[in-house]
Amino acid sequence: MIKIAILWNDSVGDGSIAVEYGKLERLEVTAGQGSCVPAEGRFALQGPGRLELELGDENAGQGAYATIVSVRSTRHAFSFFLRDVSRAYPIYIPAYGVIVTEASHAEAYGEIAERIAASGLRTNLQQIEAEPEESFELATEAGRPLTCPIWLGLSRDARLFEADFRGVGDNDNIRSWDCVRPRYPARINQLPETGDAPVLYYYLLGRGMGAEYRVTRSLEERVYPIAHGSIRDDDIVYDNVAFVSYEASPFTADTLQGTHYLAADRASVGYMFTPDQEASWERLAETDPDRPEETVYYSKTTATNLGKVPRYAWFKNPAPLNAAYTFEGDGGFGVFESGRVFVVSKLDGRPLLQEEVAVLLKPGESVTFEFYIPHTPISRERALRLAQQSFELRHRECLAFWQAKLDGAMQVRLPEPRIEEMMKAGYLHLDLVCYGREPDRTLVPTIGVYTAIGSESSPIIQYLDSMGAHRTAERALQFFLDKQHEDGFIQNFNGYMLETGAALYVLGEHYRYVRDKAWLTRIQPQMRKAYEYLKGWRNRNLQEELRGRGYGMLDGKTADPEDPFRSYMLNGFAHAGLKRLAEMLSEIGDPLADAVGADAEALKQDILASIRESLANSPVVPLGDGSWVPTCPPWANYRGPVSLYADGGKWGTHGSMVVRDSLLGPLYLVIQEVLAPDSVEAGFLLSFHNELMCMRNVALSQPYYSVHPWIHLKRGETKPFLKAFYNGVAGLADRETYTFWEHYFHVSPHKTHEEGWFLMQCRWMLYLEEERTLRLLPGVPRAWLEQGKEISVREAASHFGHFSMDIRSDIAEGTITAHLVFDAERRPGKVKIRLPHPGGMQAMRTSVGTYDAASETVEIDDPGREVQIVLTFA
């Protein structure tokens, strides 16, 4: 038998004890005023008191189905594993004023609580608050660098190229060479010449792999999707530039054609077509002629001798890894047996004479090696024309095209160049993988190799809107409406069931930016159909037998794992989608708005009831400061995080034991507006998530699925936000080219869902909306406001229209100045701007508004169109 004691520091009123996977043998009030009915597991305590229990020990060991004790009272409810009760480490829940320990432990509640507090221990989050603010440099000391292949393309066109230098890739044959792979989103291009296998073109700059690895890569001006690479091979340095353009036509916004969204969708991993959509695709394939010209990978390498004596430079021309071919030196052509040309190559502007060459260079002398690879091999006649193309002209065209894209978006200048560059490069990365016909047809906002998903495309579309690309965002949203099923269901990827709610939510977010009622009226029928689908789905779950087990909550698969449960993430998206839908319908006077709003609120209340039941039934876990905290499963009707196996199961997936709890768990309910960021429940969720499921406040495996950084910002927790922000990007993004992997284990390159959430974190650290309030700089590091540094954001798009801000630090003179300009018609009702002193000093006065020292924030009610703030520190 096991004897334990439960100590309260205040009255709890009536209560009860329930035991799962075990048996309660004895129940007794041993201190304080109270009574109990042991046979029924009921008790009552008026004032502080002590309750002693005696339970069977048959299931008190490790493993699943261990004894869980649940304690309910009129004030609080919590649960714990019987095996976790310990005199040395008592279960201490300060939020509930309760301690569980061994019955032989005679100390009173206050003595135990005081001893734990005096230990000086800290939770992980408390430790982060006590440390200096995180930086990218600190994060790189702990995180491992990941190198990601570079994706290059035209924008809108699904014909891409993937390129990398030696040592990168998922194939031993690739890793030993420099490589170019023509591809579509889902796959490497397959050719008849390769037996319909993926075509891999390998080549080599220099002598090859050796004891040194002296390869660096970057983007043009560290922003534009034009790849630069440098290989140092003793005295010879090979400088490479590569980009994608057309075979013959000029590459401009006017000549850009794009790929039909259904074709791009079908060329992506995980796509789903209804029978009608499949028929539409077949008609498109029959009637849509082949493109008159290919996209082409243009590469130029300049080899220079930096030594003091003549040295050789070596080049190996691109060749297919898995197909027969010949090389024709008179034209510099690589030719398949079919007669089609797969590469055109030049040496110093003339046809390359041999497939492999060595060139002796005098000190300071250079030689250029160019090759042009069409996405699909072309005829000899077309190859002759391709050989006449000017690399320099094509390069200038390509750069001008991408510069124009960026010039039309929000302009950002930050004191940390890496973050500024990543915001700009990231915007172009997102644009690169939004495929569709120009100039104004539907776009599919893909997420790297995967097709669009209502949930994972959400940050992509939101960031496009933030950058002011509202028309692009609207065209991307049209994808979800065009592919909506006849019954209103929205589903595009791999059986995911959450897309209907997620799509409605992003539609609502887009409307908050553009306030376009004509657009709402056009899409009103589709939105109403989506509502009817969600309503019917919910009605099927309004079953009395589901009370306490997910009553009224939608059931279905949320993401990759085959978990057809009533998950909190799935239902949170349904709530957020319905809430935004009610707002949109109200804007255009649709009488259905009130019913939609009522259904959204009813779903919210059912989710809240379930989450509170889950918190009560789930075993508490220890934190780093000696206290314990309630936990929660990712779906209704399970006890605790599934990775603790209270109710058994096999939950490890995607390289981690905890991702179901972390990446698909109840924290989503905060950003989905079911739980308030500063609620007790949100605090519990943040605490156990951080200690069980994070490293350096970053989730495991696919970390950008976790939304806790946003919650930190909403709660005013800047240091934990920065810890997650810098460690997330330092660990998952390529530090040279700024592209993201999906996972730490090199799955899915150029993953724009991850990049989209990183970019939204950048956006949130600069500005956040809260009802009628615009919060500025809620997450910027103190280092950004050191002497002489400036932050400039021009034409940022928000729910209050476009605005600009310029901040300059002159700490040497004791001031920080902020100049704000808002939209004349859509100004926020209140502005809160955080201006943290780099040394932590508090301001003496502000020239306008009121200053809150605790949050280092100036608050201005009803700001004018233009505001000048001078914060004085001395």
Side-chain angles (χ1 to χ4, degrees), residues 448-467:
V449 303
Y450 306 108
T451 192
I453 314 174
S455 53
E456 292 205 17
S457 295
S458 170
I460 296 171
I461 297 170
Q462 290 185 63
Y463 191 70
L464 292 173
D465 263 327
S466 298
M467 292 292 285

Side-chain angles (χ1 to χ4, degrees), residues 179-198:
C179 192
V180 176
R181 298 176 287 280
R183 68 172 301 143
Y184 296 97
R187 59 177 175 82
I188 307 300
N189 198 12
Q190 298 168 326
L191 302 175
E193 290 89 346
T194 61
D196 292 327

Side-chain angles (χ1 to χ4, degrees), residues 410 423 462-463 466 513 758-769 774 778 797-799:
M410 172 175 67
M423 290 185 71
Q462 290 185 63
Y463 191 70
S466 298
Y513 284 98
F758 162 75
L759 294 169
M760 286 303 294
Q761 288 181 14
C762 295
R763 187 263 207 219
W764 298 330
M765 73 193 298
L766 292 170
Y767 64 102
L768 269 175
E769 300 92 342
L774 179 61
S798 77
H799 299 171

Side-chain angles (χ1 to χ4, degrees), residues 34 38 60 137 198 336-337 352 446 572 632 784 818 846 850:
E137 290 69 28
F336 285 119
E337 288 185 338
L352 183 68
T446 65
C632 185
W784 285 15
T846 177
T850 59

Side-chain angles (χ1 to χ4, degrees), residues 253-274:
D254 292 334
T255 60
L256 186 65
Q257 297 181 4
T259 302
H260 192 282
Y261 82 90
L262 279 179
D265 184 20
R266 200 174 191 277
S268 303
V269 171
Y271 82 95
M272 299 180 72
F273 280 180
T274 65

